Amino acid sequence: MIEFKNVVKTYDNGTTAVADLSFVAPTGKITVLVGPSGCGKTTTLRMVNRLIEQTSGAILLGGEDNAKTDTIRMRRNIGYVIQNAGLFPHQTVLDNVCAVPYLNKSDKRASRERALDLLELVGIDRSYASRYPWQLSGGQQQRIGVARALAADPPYMLMDEPFSAVDPIVRKQLQAEFLKIQADLAKTIVMVTHDIDEALKLGDQIVVLKEGGVLAQIGTPAEILASPADQFVADFLGESRGYHALSFEPIVGLEPHRTPAIRLGELLTGQAGDWVVACDDSGLPIGWAEADGEPLLAEDVVVATAVSRSRGNYRELLDAALASPVGRAIMIDDGAYAGTLGSDAVIRGAVEKLDAGRMP
Ligand code: ADP
Ligand code: MG
């Protein structure tokens, strides 16, 4: 885990780039720092591996203060990926990937073998190993940048706008491949992007920054979508083209779960603490109630402020899931109860749509 404790960075010219920032990037998860240009994202990232020294506060890696750790040893544990990959132009693909292992004086043969495996992992054919960066496309270079960061098998990864410089189709592929790789490797990752759609897609946790490096909100994508902390976050979410586009995406391929539903006056059976769908006398769902073995009274009902038509659109489904007191959307079909869907499944589906919305 990476922990920021009251970190401040004021540059020599008086610019405060990061103001009193505290958050934890949990082990094995992707934390995305997102916000408009100039809000201090790169500064925040570069303080982790001490390319920039903070003015005050502390950054802990696995509980160890990084200012008190030997810099070389510390950086060995951190892979670093930047926009445009930052490959050495005069070195071959293989030597680029091996750069850190060579610095670490690892066995050359073993390093090369591992580099070839890594190229495969990031989707680059081994035959490219002897080429030079300029002979490759932007997307290929970015993949090699990721392979290079993984070469020393570091527990931590810092990624600064890693997918920003490639076209939308390649970007989508890289994001998908990156999530697949991360599912296996479970690195502790802090990634920077200015693109809210990318943050929603890749982040286990999102840290929203605003101008002056002020923390605006921290939470899961679902938490941030459900309740933006302030107008700034709401406006920033509003920039998500995909989120608006969800209104035009019909719900397909999601199978609602037949969560038990009862009408007013019927017995609230089931395990104590289970939530059931509460319906009015006509069978129309109105909210949720907790099983207690007693008849369902109107005052037991936690009203659902939004429900979704099962043949409606993703936007209403997402709103129903996010507004739900139990984290599940209630779905209706021709006015009758049709089942429920958990917000995890809804968000996963919605993010796929968000992503597809970015296709040109
Ligand atoms: P972001 O990555 O979010 O675009 P940065 O961390 O690069 O933001 O920059 C945050 C702020 O700090 C900006 O106002 C930028 O102009 C300023 N800044 C960045 N680097 C320096 C520097 N070396 N000296 C002075 N100001 C800087
Ligand atoms: Mg930046």
Side-chain angles (χ1 to χ4, degrees):
M1 124 183 150
I2 301 175
E3 186 172 9
F4 275 68
K5 282 186 158 171
N6 305 103
V7 174
V8 175
K9 174 63 190 182
T10 304
Y11 285 107
D12 292 342
N13 65 4
T15 307
T16 294
V18 176
D20 195 23
L21 185 61
S22 298
F23 70 91
V24 170
T27 303
K29 303 282 183 201
I30 302 173
T31 296
V32 179
L33 301 176
V34 69
S37 180
C39 70
K41 304 180 297 292
T42 294
T43 303
T44 301
L45 201 68
R46 289 164 69 96
M47 287 190 291
V48 176
N49 56 6
R50 286 179 64 198
L51 292 170
I52 296 174
E53 298 279 340
Q54 67 262 31
T55 309
S56 63
I59 299 167
L60 283 68
L61 282 101
E64 228 180 309
D65 188 336
N66 78 340
K68 293 175 186 148
T69 316
D70 171 60
T71 308
I72 295 175
R73 189 168 70 83
M74 185 258 296
R75 288 200 188 137
R76 210 171 275 168
N77 283 328
I78 303 177
Y80 186 44
V81 186
I82 57 176
Q83 192 177 349
N84 291 317
L87 300 177
F88 304 128
H90 55 283
Q91 289 188 0
T92 63
V93 165
L94 190 72
D95 285 343
N96 263 287
V97 176
C98 287
V100 176
Y102 287 173
L103 280 176
N104 289 345
K105 309 221 184 318
S106 304
D107 176 67
K108 281 211 165 172
R109 243 187 99 122
S111 301
R112 287 192 183 155
E113 274 311 310
R114 184 171 154 69
L116 290 171
D117 288 343
L118 280 169
L119 286 178
E120 221 154 79
L121 181 74
V122 299
I124 297 286
D125 194 89
R126 282 166 178 246
S127 65
Y128 283 67
S130 55
R131 298 201 188 176
Y132 288 86
W134 54 268
Q135 296 174 302
L136 307 173
S137 71
Q140 288 168 330
Q141 291 185 37
Q142 210 59 61
R143 287 187 164 93
I144 291 157
V146 172
R148 182 172 67 173
L150 288 169
D153 197 20
Y156 305 105
M157 294 262 281
L158 306 176
M159 308 179 83
D160 194 346
E161 306 263 7
F163 309 128
S164 295
V166 291
D167 70 67
I169 295 177
V170 172
R171 186 173 196 182
K172 191 180 160 221
Q173 288 169 355
L174 288 174
Q175 290 169 335
E177 285 163 16
F178 169 68
L179 282 177
K180 230 186 265 164
I181 293 170
Q182 168 66 358
D184 279 342
L185 302 184
K187 301 289 181 192
T188 303
I189 296 173
V190 181
M191 176 188 290
V192 159
T193 181
H194 62 272
D195 175 355
I196 183 67
D197 285 347
E198 182 163 86
L200 292 169
K201 179 172 184 202
L202 300 181
D204 295 303
Q205 170 179 265
I206 299 179
V207 176
V208 187
L209 296 175
K210 52 184 163 187
E211 210 187 322
V214 174
L215 179 68
Q217 187 167 9
I218 180 161
T220 62
E223 285 162 355
I224 286 173
L225 280 170
S227 37
D230 60 17
Q231 196 56 46
F232 170 83
V233 180
D235 290 347
F236 194 59
L237 282 173
E239 284 176 20
S240 169
R241 286 178 291 123
Y243 188 53
H244 291 302
L246 288 177
S247 312
F248 304 102
E249 291 287 349
I251 302 165
V252 280
L254 286 178
E255 199 51 53
H257 175 253
R258 295 296 303 196
T259 307
I262 66 166
R263 294 183 189 203
L264 290 171
E266 290 178 352
L267 272 189
L268 263 171
T269 51
Q271 301 269 10
D274 277 358
W275 288 91
V276 300
V277 175
C279 300
D280 66 12
D281 298 332
S282 66
L284 199 67
I286 49 175
W288 295 88
E290 224 174 325
D292 62 0
E294 305 274 323
L296 176 64
L297 302 176
E299 53 263 37
D300 296 330
V301 179
V302 182
V303 175
T305 50
V307 298
S308 170
R309 295 167 298 165
S310 57
R311 280 170 291 191
N313 63 63
Y314 257 94
R315 180 70 181 267
E316 65 184 79
L317 179 60
L318 187 63
D319 287 341
L322 295 174
S324 165
V326 301
R328 299 189 71 83
I330 296 176
M331 300 171 82
I332 53 173
D333 196 357
D334 284 333
Y337 171 63
T340 69
L341 272 174
S343 52
D344 282 355
V346 172
I347 287 165
R348 233 177 293 123
V351 162
E352 262 164 43
K353 300 290 174 191
L354 281 175
D355 195 43
R358 218 173 23 232
M359 299 284 282

